[in-house]
Amino acid sequence: MMPVIGWLFILGAIAMVVGSLLLLRDTANMQIPKDKLEKIRERKAEQEKEEKHNW
């Protein structure tokens, strides 16, 4: 039989995993603002241009 502290560690680990999954689920539907999305696209285009230039 496992001591009480062992069960507490197991319950704590399970609670942390479940809490992390719930937090991940809640943040998965966040929308990126239009201005930031445009900056991301511009930066991506710059990087692709640099990569083509370096080849």
Side-chain angles (χ1 to χ4, degrees):
M1 182 152 172
M2 197 177 343
V4 174
I5 192 74
W7 287 111
L8 289 176
F9 274 115
I10 290 174
L11 288 174
I14 291 171
M16 286 173 46
V17 169
V18 170
S20 297
L21 289 174
L22 291 174
L23 185 65
L24 186 62
R25 184 193 66 181
D26 290 344
T27 59
N29 294 328
M30 291 179 64
Q31 298 294 325
I32 298 174
K34 300 273 186 206
D35 56 338
K36 288 194 178 198
L37 193 58
E38 186 59 34
K39 286 182 181 179
I40 291 170
R41 288 186 179 134
E42 289 174 5
R43 180 67 181 139
K44 182 180 176 186
E46 288 176 13
Q47 287 180 337
E48 288 174 355
K49 189 176 178 182
E50 283 182 20
E51 286 177 5
K52 287 181 183 179
H53 181 339
N54 289 337
W55 282 98

